[in-house]
PDB file of all heavy atoms in Angstrom:
ATOM      1  N   GLN P 194       1.761  -2.397  -3.791  1.00 97.00           N
ATOM      2  CA  GLN P 194       1.097  -1.923  -5.008  1.00 97.00           C
ATOM      3  C   GLN P 194       0.708  -3.117  -5.899  1.00 97.00           C
ATOM      4  O   GLN P 194      -0.419  -3.194  -6.393  1.00 97.00           O
ATOM      5  CB  GLN P 194       2.056  -0.991  -5.757  1.00 97.00           C
ATOM      6  CG  GLN P 194       1.454  -0.395  -7.009  1.00 97.00           C
ATOM      7  CD  GLN P 194       2.500   0.294  -7.864  1.00 97.00           C
ATOM      8  OE1 GLN P 194       3.687  -0.002  -7.775  1.00 97.00           O
ATOM      9  NE2 GLN P 194       2.072   1.216  -8.710  1.00 97.00           N
ATOM     10  N   ILE P 195       1.632  -4.037  -6.075  1.00 98.00           N
ATOM     11  CA  ILE P 195       1.352  -5.193  -6.937  1.00 98.00           C
ATOM     12  C   ILE P 195       0.223  -6.041  -6.336  1.00 98.00           C
ATOM     13  O   ILE P 195      -0.692  -6.459  -7.041  1.00 98.00           O
ATOM     14  CB  ILE P 195       2.637  -6.034  -7.150  1.00 98.00           C
ATOM     15  CG1 ILE P 195       3.666  -5.211  -7.930  1.00 98.00           C
ATOM     16  CG2 ILE P 195       2.317  -7.335  -7.885  1.00 98.00           C
ATOM     17  CD1 ILE P 195       5.044  -5.855  -8.027  1.00 98.00           C
ATOM     18  N   ARG P 197      -2.121  -5.130  -4.392  1.00 97.00           N
ATOM     19  CA  ARG P 197      -3.399  -4.419  -4.518  1.00 97.00           C
ATOM     20  C   ARG P 197      -3.915  -4.464  -5.957  1.00 97.00           C
ATOM     21  O   ARG P 197      -5.110  -4.601  -6.188  1.00 97.00           O
ATOM     22  CB  ARG P 197      -3.281  -2.994  -4.011  1.00 97.00           C
ATOM     23  CG  ARG P 197      -3.253  -2.925  -2.477  1.00 97.00           C
ATOM     24  CD  ARG P 197      -2.987  -1.536  -1.949  1.00 97.00           C
ATOM     25  NE  ARG P 197      -3.933  -0.541  -2.447  1.00 97.00           N
ATOM     26  CZ  ARG P 197      -5.154  -0.354  -1.945  1.00 97.00           C
ATOM     27  NH1 ARG P 197      -5.562  -1.083  -0.932  1.00 97.00           N
ATOM     28  NH2 ARG P 197      -5.947   0.568  -2.442  1.00 97.00           N
ATOM     29  N   TYR P 198      -2.990  -4.347  -6.922  1.00 97.00           N
ATOM     30  CA  TYR P 198      -3.396  -4.499  -8.329  1.00 97.00           C
ATOM     31  C   TYR P 198      -4.018  -5.871  -8.548  1.00 97.00           C
ATOM     32  O   TYR P 198      -5.020  -6.016  -9.235  1.00 97.00           O
ATOM     33  CB  TYR P 198      -2.171  -4.348  -9.245  1.00 97.00           C
ATOM     34  CG  TYR P 198      -1.987  -2.968  -9.822  1.00 97.00           C
ATOM     35  CD1 TYR P 198      -1.739  -1.879  -8.995  1.00 97.00           C
ATOM     36  CD2 TYR P 198      -2.030  -2.756 -11.193  1.00 97.00           C
ATOM     37  CE1 TYR P 198      -1.554  -0.617  -9.519  1.00 97.00           C
ATOM     38  CE2 TYR P 198      -1.844  -1.488 -11.732  1.00 97.00           C
ATOM     39  CZ  TYR P 198      -1.609  -0.416 -10.900  1.00 97.00           C
ATOM     40  OH  TYR P 198      -1.430   0.835 -11.413  1.00 97.00           O
ATOM     41  N   LEU P 199      -3.350  -6.886  -7.960  1.00 98.00           N
ATOM     42  CA  LEU P 199      -3.823  -8.260  -8.152  1.00 98.00           C
ATOM     43  C   LEU P 199      -5.090  -8.537  -7.361  1.00 98.00           C
ATOM     44  O   LEU P 199      -5.825  -9.469  -7.660  1.00 98.00           O
ATOM     45  CB  LEU P 199      -2.732  -9.244  -7.707  1.00 98.00           C
ATOM     46  CG  LEU P 199      -1.468  -9.283  -8.560  1.00 98.00           C
ATOM     47  CD1 LEU P 199      -0.365 -10.025  -7.820  1.00 98.00           C
ATOM     48  CD2 LEU P 199      -1.750  -9.939  -9.907  1.00 98.00           C
ATOM     49  N   GLY P 200      -5.315  -7.732  -6.327  1.00 97.00           N
ATOM     50  CA  GLY P 200      -6.488  -7.955  -5.462  1.00 97.00           C
ATOM     51  C   GLY P 200      -6.296  -9.104  -4.498  1.00 97.00           C
ATOM     52  O   GLY P 200      -7.256  -9.603  -3.914  1.00 97.00           O
ATOM     53  N   GLU P 326      -3.383  -5.779 -15.965  1.00 97.00           N
ATOM     54  CA  GLU P 326      -2.119  -5.139 -16.321  1.00 97.00           C
ATOM     55  C   GLU P 326      -1.467  -4.695 -15.009  1.00 97.00           C
ATOM     56  O   GLU P 326      -2.121  -4.084 -14.161  1.00 97.00           O
ATOM     57  CB  GLU P 326      -2.389  -3.926 -17.197  1.00 97.00           C
ATOM     58  CG  GLU P 326      -1.142  -3.242 -17.679  1.00 97.00           C
ATOM     59  CD  GLU P 326      -1.475  -1.986 -18.494  1.00 97.00           C
ATOM     60  OE1 GLU P 326      -2.443  -1.269 -18.137  1.00 97.00           O
ATOM     61  OE2 GLU P 326      -0.764  -1.724 -19.474  1.00 97.00           O
ATOM     62  N   THR P 350      -0.020   5.620 -11.584  1.00 96.00           N
ATOM     63  CA  THR P 350      -0.193   4.162 -11.516  1.00 96.00           C
ATOM     64  C   THR P 350      -0.017   3.614 -10.109  1.00 96.00           C
ATOM     65  O   THR P 350      -0.108   2.410  -9.896  1.00 96.00           O
ATOM     66  CB  THR P 350       0.795   3.438 -12.461  1.00 96.00           C
ATOM     67  OG1 THR P 350       2.131   3.867 -12.137  1.00 96.00           O
ATOM     68  CG2 THR P 350       0.506   3.737 -13.913  1.00 96.00           C
TER      69      THR P 350
END
Side-chain angles (χ1 to χ4, degrees):
Chain P
Q194 182 191 23
I195 295 172
R197 284 174 56 81
Y198 264 64
L199 292 166
E326 183 183 38
T350 55

